[in-house]
Amino acid sequence: MSRGKRTQLVVSLLRRHTVKRWLALFGIGAMLGASILLIRLSLNELRSVPAASYAESETAESQGTSVKEKTASRITETAAQLRQAEPDEKNDVNVKERNEPQQEDEKAAAPKTSSELDGLIVHVYLTKEKRIENVPLETYVRGVVAAEMPIDFELEALKAQAIAARTYIVRRLMQGEESDASVHGADVTDTIQHQVYTPLAKLEGQWTKAQRKANMAKLGKAIDETRGLVVTYEGEPIEAVFFSTSNGYTENSEDYWKQQIPYLRSVESPWDKAISPKYKETVSLKLSEFHKKLGVKRKGFAKSSLRIIERTEGNRISKIRIGDKVFTGREVREKLELASSQFTWSVKGDYITITTYGYGHGVGMSQWGANGMAKEGAGAASILAHYYSSTAVEQASKLSAQLAQRS
């Protein structure tokens, strides 16, 4: 082959190599462009998902929800973000019977742990001030414990009271009970209609400066060590009613109210008699006043006109005949404003003297009984298990899960 032909062959081979090289580069560029386009499309689709979810959420909310669903949302949203007519006495409670959240200095009483209910706000109507105070649930529980139980009680009794108070409000919020809260927008009042509640400012004012630090620390410890705990029966928060002092026994719910509640059974409470200053009380009334309050005729009235017909399992008066009428023990107690529906009497001249045993309706936990148990070494859980039959103490996180399923 001549030198000229060899040169032409080399040139031809170089040209072919160059064309193939450019074709390969073009193919790589096309593949990269397509990949970038696919990535952009995927990102646009991902961005559209939250927007669609948000639109669906807005549509669902605009359609309205029931009171229970709103309540469930209040509790379950908190869980996701952070993972209960008595005499006007502070140691008694009836079973049935918006400002910005207050900024408080809670260094002495602030719990150091968290629960599923942290962040849940309770709207409390302060009856004397005629305004609604918004407070975190655990702050509300602290105010109830301070108002409902003496601070010099044993710590375990205070803890039992804290769990009972928390159970009452959690049950109320779950059931969406607002109709008896006096004012629209309130969950509860600060009276015995629900649970007596004392705000921090008033709470600190009832103790001397020397007592304040120790009492607030003790109160805070009772809340801290029970944070998030509630009493349940078959997985539901109970009607955690309580009262001051028993006559030696608690009462079956149906013996004071009409409804039979399985965990509110009559149990022994022997501690009250020895330690409660409210165990025994004697009052005297003119017979004329006695008859008037009961609405019975005075004519022909004699000692034999008062006769007990039936007693309850808790040894209180179930039915009693007075004159020509038959009353329940509860009716006599309320009409005469007696401390208890267990009582004895004596008539002398124009006066009747009535002696009562125990203080309060007698259903649920006896506060002085709880203190007696604590003095003997019982813990809060044991106290609650004694007074609320067949119940369990557990974290409210389980209730949050149930609410999520219902909603």
Side-chain angles (χ1 to χ4, degrees):
M1 181 181 294
S2 66
R3 183 175 179 181
K5 289 182 177 182
R6 285 199 300 270
T7 300
Q8 291 178 357
L9 180 60
V10 170
V11 171
S12 176
L13 290 172
L14 287 172
R15 286 176 177 173
R16 291 177 184 176
H17 179 71
T18 301
V19 170
K20 290 180 180 180
R21 182 177 170 186
W22 280 106
L23 286 173
L25 290 173
F26 178 81
I28 292 171
M31 291 174 66
L32 289 172
S35 298
I36 292 171
L37 180 60
L38 287 172
I39 291 171
R40 287 181 176 176
L41 289 173
S42 298
L43 287 173
N44 288 335
E45 290 178 358
L46 288 172
R47 290 191 186 102
S48 68
V49 171
S53 299
Y54 178 80
E56 291 174 0
S57 175
E58 290 292 301
T59 302
E61 290 180 4
S62 68
Q63 293 174 351
T65 56
S66 68
V67 175
K68 287 187 178 182
E69 288 171 335
K70 290 178 181 178
T71 303
S73 177
R74 286 170 63 185
I75 298 180
T76 52
E77 284 176 7
T78 301
Q81 292 171 357
L82 299 173
R83 214 246 69 124
Q84 166 180 107
E86 292 301 314
D88 191 11
E89 170 68 30
K90 77 173 186 177
N91 287 337
D92 211 358
V93 69
N94 192 330
V95 69
K96 73 167 181 64
E97 338 175 292
R98 305 253 195 195
N99 302 321
E100 291 298 315
Q102 65 181 34
Q103 301 298 317
E104 303 172 345
D105 181 7
E106 300 182 7
K107 293 181 180 180
K112 300 177 182 179
T113 57
S114 63
S115 81
E116 298 288 354
L117 300 179
D118 283 357
L120 184 63
I121 301 299
V122 180
H123 311 299
V124 189
Y125 180 64
L126 306 180
T127 52
K128 290 184 179 180
E129 299 179 25
K130 296 182 179 180
R131 67 180 180 87
I132 293 176
E133 179 172 87
N134 302 331
V135 292
L137 184 137
E138 297 297 343
T139 300
Y140 170 74
V141 172
R142 182 191 64 190
V144 171
V145 174
E148 293 281 10
M149 181 172 276
I151 193 64
D152 59 356
F153 271 27
E154 297 292 319
L155 178 62
E156 292 301 314
L158 290 167
K159 288 165 64 175
Q161 183 70 68
I163 298 171
R166 186 181 299 107
T167 303
Y168 178 92
I169 187 61
V170 168
R171 175 187 171 89
R172 184 173 174 84
L173 293 176
M174 283 182 63
Q175 295 186 344
E177 297 176 3
E178 296 177 353
S179 59
D180 61 343
S182 300
V183 174
H184 177 70
D187 298 315
V188 288
T189 67
D190 60 347
T191 70
I192 60 172
Q193 183 180 9
H194 303 111
Q195 298 188 119
V196 183
Y197 164 81
T198 301
L200 179 65
K202 291 184 178 179
L203 179 62
E204 292 184 334
Q206 70 185 34
W207 296 319
T208 65
K209 188 175 181 181
Q211 296 171 325
R212 190 176 302 148
K213 185 176 181 180
N215 288 349
M216 288 298 291
K218 185 178 182 180
L219 188 57
K221 189 173 184 180
I223 308 306
D224 187 16
E225 295 185 1
T226 64
R227 182 176 286 272
L229 293 177
V230 293
V231 187
T232 63
Y233 177 79
E234 295 184 348
E236 299 288 340
I238 70 167
E239 187 76 73
V241 293
F242 50 89
F243 63 101
S244 172
T245 305
S246 82
N247 64 342
Y249 300 87
T250 66
E251 197 81 301
N252 288 326
S253 61
E254 67 272 19
D255 288 333
Y256 199 80
W257 300 292
K258 293 181 179 180
Q259 185 180 5
Q260 181 175 345
I261 301 175
Y263 48 82
L264 296 179
R265 302 293 84 202
S266 178
V267 298
E268 292 184 355
S269 187
W271 307 276
D272 311 54
K273 182 177 180 179
I275 64 175
S276 175
K278 298 177 179 293
Y279 175 75
K280 186 177 179 180
E281 182 178 296
T282 300
V283 296
S284 291
L285 297 169
K286 281 189 174 184
L287 282 173
S288 57
E289 182 182 2
F290 174 79
H291 293 133
K292 183 178 180 180
K293 287 185 174 181
L294 292 175
V296 297
K297 295 178 181 179
R298 183 177 181 181
K299 187 177 180 179
F301 182 83
K303 294 181 181 180
S304 59
S305 299
L306 284 81
R307 182 169 59 89
I308 296 173
I309 300 173
E310 184 181 334
R311 290 188 179 275
T312 66
E313 187 177 343
N315 201 34
R316 292 167 179 81
I317 295 175
S318 177
K319 294 180 181 180
I320 182 172
R321 179 178 291 279
I322 303 176
D324 58 349
K325 291 186 178 182
V326 174
F327 299 89
T328 65
R330 176 181 178 177
E331 288 172 335
V332 175
R333 179 197 172 208
E334 292 177 351
K335 288 178 181 292
L336 299 182
E337 299 179 333
L338 302 178
S340 170
S341 55
Q342 184 194 350
F343 53 86
T344 59
W345 65 88
S346 64
V347 178
K348 186 175 182 180
D350 292 333
Y351 284 84
I352 181 169
T353 300
I354 302 174
T355 300
T356 56
Y357 301 88
Y359 192 102
H361 49 62
V363 184
M365 182 179 72
S366 164
Q367 294 171 310
W368 279 91
N371 198 42
M373 289 186 68
K375 285 179 178 293
E376 293 183 357
S382 295
I383 293 170
L384 294 166
H386 176 72
Y387 287 108
Y388 303 118
S389 304
S390 304
T391 60
V393 175
E394 53 190 351
Q395 270 292 338
S397 57
K398 296 184 179 180
L399 301 180
S400 299
Q402 291 175 15
L403 284 169
Q405 292 175 2
R406 292 175 186 174
S407 60

